[in-house]
Amino acid sequence: DGGITQSPKYLFRKEGQNVTLSCEQNLNHDAMYWYRQDPGQGLRLIYYSQIVNDFQKGDIAEGYSVSREKKESFPLTVTSAQKNPTAFYLCASSIVTDSLRDQPQHFGDGTRLSIL
Amino acid sequence: ILNVEQSPQSLHVQEGDSTNFTCSFPSSNFYALHWYRWETAKSPEALFVMTLNGDEKKKGRISATLNTKEGYSYLYIKGSQPEDSATYLCAHQGGSEKLVFGKGTKLTVNP
């Protein structure tokens, strides 16, 4: 079945360490996104990418980095510079063409990151 | 940062009740309004993407309307069932593929 796979489901990090969250999709979607959810907050966009080797900052990019070397993969690195990394992270993807911009996003199951 | 508001924050209804909730968004720089349903321990699932003022979409017992001039959308559920229990998210799409989400409405349907 086509879909988005996020791994791992739970992740623990010691303070001062970088950690990378995986997101892979086999939907052949051009665009991929990373969101963060905190209690009582809506989903907030961290980074997004509309094409391989290109990505843009979202609303809360500080302390995060991404890469998009392959269409299928969009890993998110939470760096030690992110002051409050404990949160639930969701990856999504969507079709993007000039005539199909109003397409829904498809989401993974998420990764819950906790600081030890 | 653009503000998308959803109300109520949470809602408890009895099985068989019909219910509705609201999503408010800035009417400027509007391209589309998305609705997603997010069940506990699952991934968010797209319900509707709406672009035209006055548009109404329906999927089974769930329907949505859109007013882009005044900046609101309503989601209706007719004859709620326990399996409708979920958080319903709306999101505003402006001039790019970026979405700005509201905080969601958490619906609990009691049997």
Side-chain angles (χ1 to χ4, degrees):
Chain A
D1 282 355
I4 297 180
T5 302
Q6 289 188 242
S7 61
K9 193 166 184 171
Y10 299 95
L11 191 55
F12 300 91
R13 189 194 97 172
K14 290 184 181 178
E15 280 198 49
Q17 284 183 338
N18 293 353
V19 64
T20 297
L21 282 60
S22 169
C23 178
E24 304 277 331
Q25 54 101 357
N26 60 3
L27 298 167
N28 200 33
H29 286 173
D30 296 292
M32 296 186 75
Y33 313 81
W34 274 106
Y35 294 95
R36 169 182 171 138
Q37 191 198 31
D38 295 282
Q41 300 259 7
L43 296 178
R44 292 185 290 167
L45 184 65
I46 305 172
Y47 267 99
Y48 68 107
S49 167
Q50 294 174 272
I51 196 168
V52 172
N53 292 323
D54 188 41
F55 46 82
Q56 287 78 42
K57 292 182 179 180
D59 299 319
I60 54 165
E62 186 176 348
Y64 298 98
S65 66
V66 293
S67 62
R68 187 90 186 274
E69 296 176 4
K70 298 186 298 182
K71 188 175 185 176
E72 305 78 25
S73 178
F74 191 41
L76 174 74
T77 296
V78 185
T79 75
S80 55
Q82 168 50 235
K83 296 190 187 324
N84 187 19
T86 295
F88 185 70
Y89 292 86
L90 270 174
C91 178
S93 70
S94 69
I95 296 168
V96 176
T97 68
D98 286 340
S99 59
L100 287 175
R101 289 188 49 238
D102 56 342
Q103 294 301 297
Q105 293 187 4
H106 299 254
F107 289 85
D109 289 336
T111 293
R112 187 167 297 280
L113 175 63
S114 300
I115 301 303
L116 297 176
Chain B
I1 295 177
L2 181 150
N3 203 28
V4 177
E5 300 281 347
Q6 290 190 247
S7 62
Q9 191 173 341
S10 66
L11 195 53
H12 290 252
V13 301
Q14 290 298 123
E15 183 174 354
D17 288 349
S18 293
T19 187
N20 66 86
F21 16 96
T22 305
C23 174
S24 301
F25 53 87
S27 53
S28 60
N29 192 31
F30 175 86
Y31 186 80
L33 193 283
H34 296 232
W35 281 102
Y36 293 86
R37 166 198 164 97
W38 193 0
E39 291 181 71
T40 303
K42 295 187 178 180
S43 53
E45 172 195 357
L47 289 172
F48 307 112
V49 180
M50 308 173 79
T51 57
L52 299 175
N53 184 45
D55 204 4
E56 181 170 348
K57 293 204 172 183
K58 191 173 180 181
K59 192 176 195 175
R61 294 179 291 98
I62 304 177
S63 60
T65 60
L66 180 66
N67 183 322
T68 59
K69 295 188 177 182
E70 296 183 40
Y72 64 84
S73 176
Y74 294 135
L75 190 79
Y76 299 92
I77 303 178
K78 185 177 177 182
S80 303
Q81 300 296 309
E83 57 265 32
D84 295 328
S85 297
T87 296
Y88 291 83
L89 304 175
C90 72
H92 172 280
Q93 180 181 358
S96 70
E97 279 63 47
K98 286 175 59 174
L99 299 185
V100 177
F101 283 84
K103 294 181 182 180
T105 293
K106 184 174 181 180
L107 174 68
T108 304
V109 182
N110 300 311

